[in-house]
Amino acid sequence: MKKLALASIALFAFGAHAQLNKNIDSVADYAVNTYQNAQIHTLTNLVAFPTVNKNDISAPQNPDFIGFKALLKMKAAELGFDYQDLGYTVLIGMGEQSEKVTVVTHGDVQPANASKWKQSPFIIDTSEPGKLVGRGTEDDKGAIATALYAMKAIKDKGITLNNRIELMIYLAEESDWGPLTKFMKTYEQPKYAVTIDASYPVVVAEKGWSLIAPTFNATSPQTGLYVKDVTGGAFRSQIPEDASLVLHNADAALINTLKAKTLNKVEFNFSEKSNGLAISVKGMSAHSSEPESGINAIAYLAELFKGVELENNSDGELIDFVNQLIGLDIHGKQFGEIAYKHNFMGPMTVAPTVIERDGNALTLAVNARRPMGKDEAVLKKQIDDALANWQATNNVTLANIETIIGTPMLLDSAPHAQKLLDIFKHFTGDEKADFVSIGGGTNAKLFDNAVSFGPSMPGKRYTGHSEHEFMTLEQLELNLRMYTAMMIELGNM
């Protein structure tokens, strides 16, 4: 079955170009010439709402989301579109045709550490030439603004479409898919669905978001060499930029050895405290679906203590766990037998992302991105076996283990995928462009035939989820051209 799927992708990718609508260039030019500044202004206003979901209040009751939706409602009325507020989901539509094209995006964003930004992450920073820096610019508010003005350009030009265009904006994509999963049970599946929350050229496969989260809750005599106050990371879907701990009872020889260690890519800081040696690591944040794009501070902090015997308190156990089962590898090769690779989707990735403390208990979130190619039950058993073996070898009993095995998606039969690929080739001139797989997971999984189309360019570092998220003016313009063309083409398929 999987070999057949891959063969279909190959045939699909190298099929003949479809004929594109003769109006797409003129309408795309009109969209950019008329609305480039307007989409920048709208993006600035959307980013100003810190739409980060909180545990103690739902998005529909959160004042930041209420304000965000009020802005969307105002923009819909201003641009001449219908608007539906359905709680966690907003629908902005153009046309009353019986069949529809749903363009899927989200309005919530990941948290942002304000100390790591030149100014507030919720104020667009234009100090870097050609860039709009701010939380949500790439993931996913830039795409919302672009979609609105692509629709407006088509409306202005009086382009007749056979299908309704419906922009779906979900408000908890980053934290809770439950409300959308429930909503989709009653939402009429569209003729075509496209998420604009991923990458170009056209994404036809997504790995499954997975989690391995052991909890350490041990104490030790604290008479020998031990570490405490281990911290690291910000949230579960971000490669951690910072990690730190305090080392106790270390002699001068060990301290000199640690300071002399040379680990490429990272910056260590050592500072003497009255009760120990504080050690911090500076890495580089990235989306955890692309661990190769970041520098994992937690992994490097553990690496510093490779070969150093620490007392088995919670903090020491966590450091040993990272060293022995993960290390600096990002593919799970040290984690028992869990590593594997799919011919099209690539290898599974495994990354420690955040340390969560509750008193003495430490939970380490390990975010894995799972491709097709291994049965869920087999992978779960391999994870369980690796954890059991590690505990037995180290004489450790984990207080708790949370495991989530996500479902990957491989969709090689979407009827509109080739059309989108042709649009990308037309506007970029890249005739070698092909279908791709990503490590991230989008709401495409909840639709019958959804594929993803941008907004990020292939070969460029994705900045969503990082502490330096941005969208370039050049990319906004290209996105506006391609989304205008996408809506015209799919609107008439």
Side-chain angles (χ1 to χ4, degrees), residues 279-468:
I279 304 173
S280 62
V281 184
K282 177 73 170 179
M284 183 170 69
S285 62
H287 197 297
S288 63
S289 66
E290 298 182 354
E292 68 279 4
S293 297
I295 300 171
N296 196 310
I298 292 175
Y300 274 95
L301 180 64
E303 182 75 11
L304 185 68
F305 287 89
K306 205 167 195 177
V308 177
E309 188 171 343
L310 300 169
E311 283 191 9
N312 270 9
N313 61 354
S314 300
D315 304 69
E317 288 178 351
L318 185 149
I319 293 296
D320 287 343
F321 181 94
V322 174
N323 264 333
Q324 294 170 25
L325 287 185
I326 302 172
L328 299 180
D329 173 66
I330 63 170
H331 297 126
K333 294 176 182 177
Q334 296 176 204
F335 210 113
E337 298 180 343
I338 72 171
Y340 69 105
K341 181 178 181 180
H342 185 267
N343 288 342
F344 177 69
M345 299 179 71
M348 181 167 72
T349 61
V350 176
T353 53
V354 66
I355 298 166
E356 300 161 344
R357 182 179 291 274
D358 182 10
N360 186 61
L362 293 178
T363 299
L364 174 68
V366 180
N367 187 204
R369 304 290 175 135
R370 169 197 171 213
M372 303 285 284
K374 182 180 285 190
D375 185 77
E376 178 179 339
V378 172
L379 180 58
K380 177 65 165 61
K381 184 178 186 307
Q382 290 174 340
I383 291 170
D384 291 343
D385 288 347
L387 293 173
N389 291 338
W390 182 82
Q391 290 177 85
T393 300
N394 291 273
N395 193 27
V396 167
T397 300
L398 293 169
N400 185 55
I401 302 167
E402 179 186 6
T403 305
I404 298 171
I405 308 294
T407 302
M409 178 191 82
L410 177 59
L411 184 69
D412 61 349
S413 58
H416 53 311
Q418 183 66 51
K419 181 73 77 172
L420 295 176
L421 185 61
D422 290 338
I423 291 170
F424 181 83
K425 290 179 178 181
H426 177 80
F427 284 97
T428 65
D430 182 3
E431 288 299 320
K432 295 182 179 179
D434 208 342
F435 300 112
V436 296
S437 173
I438 60 170
T442 73
N443 291 145
K445 291 184 173 73
L446 301 181
F447 291 80
D448 290 345
N449 67 356
V451 295
S452 293
F453 191 54
S456 300
M457 290 296 283
K460 294 188 177 180
R461 181 175 180 267
Y462 183 69
T463 65
H465 292 210
S466 79
E467 300 297 352
H468 186 244

Side-chain angles (χ1 to χ4, degrees), residues 10 24 38 112 255 277 475:
I24 63 168
I255 292 174
L277 179 69
Q475 189 61 47

Side-chain angles (χ1 to χ4, degrees), residues 139-330:
D139 184 24
D140 218 14
K141 293 178 179 179
I144 294 172
T146 301
L148 287 171
Y149 289 101
M151 292 165 68
K152 176 60 173 169
I154 295 168
K155 182 179 177 68
D156 287 353
K157 286 296 187 180
I159 303 295
T160 300
L161 301 178
N162 296 325
N163 305 314
R164 168 180 165 84
I165 304 297
E166 192 161 87
L167 177 63
M168 175 184 287
I169 305 168
Y170 180 55
L171 301 181
E173 191 271 349
E174 301 287 10
S175 58
D176 183 6
W177 284 27
L180 184 59
T181 302
K182 181 179 180 181
F183 175 77
M184 290 302 295
K185 292 179 180 178
T186 57
Y187 181 72
E188 184 180 350
Q189 284 283 340
K191 188 175 182 180
Y192 309 109
V194 182
T195 70
I196 50 175
D197 179 31
S199 306
Y200 295 114
V202 183
V203 177
V204 297
E206 298 179 359
K207 294 178 182 178
W209 191 99
S210 304
L211 178 73
I212 307 164
T215 298
F216 310 87
N217 194 17
T219 58
S220 69
Q222 299 186 358
T223 54
L225 186 69
Y226 70 99
V227 293
K228 284 194 69 175
D229 303 319
V230 174
T231 65
F235 50 91
R236 290 181 169 186
S237 290
Q238 184 191 68
I239 297 301
E241 186 165 279
D242 299 287
S244 63
L245 55 73
V246 179
L247 176 64
H248 297 269
N249 298 335
D251 58 27
L254 176 59
I255 292 174
N256 289 335
T257 298
L258 295 177
K259 289 182 177 180
K261 279 192 175 182
T262 302
L263 296 175
N264 293 333
K265 300 181 180 180
V266 295
E267 175 187 333
F268 287 94
N269 182 266
F270 299 84
S271 59
E272 298 283 350
K273 291 186 173 291
S274 58
N275 62 342
L277 179 69
I279 304 173
S280 62
V281 184
K282 177 73 170 179
M284 183 170 69
S285 62
H287 197 297
S288 63
S289 66
E290 298 182 354
E292 68 279 4
S293 297
I295 300 171
N296 196 310
I298 292 175
Y300 274 95
L301 180 64
E303 182 75 11
L304 185 68
F305 287 89
K306 205 167 195 177
V308 177
E309 188 171 343
L310 300 169
E311 283 191 9
N312 270 9
N313 61 354
S314 300
D315 304 69
E317 288 178 351
L318 185 149
I319 293 296
D320 287 343
F321 181 94
V322 174
N323 264 333
Q324 294 170 25
L325 287 185
I326 302 172
L328 299 180
D329 173 66
I330 63 170

Side-chain angles (χ1 to χ4, degrees), residues 24-47:
I24 63 168
D25 284 313
S26 63
V27 183
D29 285 343
Y30 170 81
V32 169
N33 293 335
T34 309
Y35 293 118
Q36 172 73 349
N37 289 336
Q39 73 162 334
I40 293 169
H41 182 263
T42 296
L43 173 57
T44 300
N45 290 334
L46 293 173
V47 167

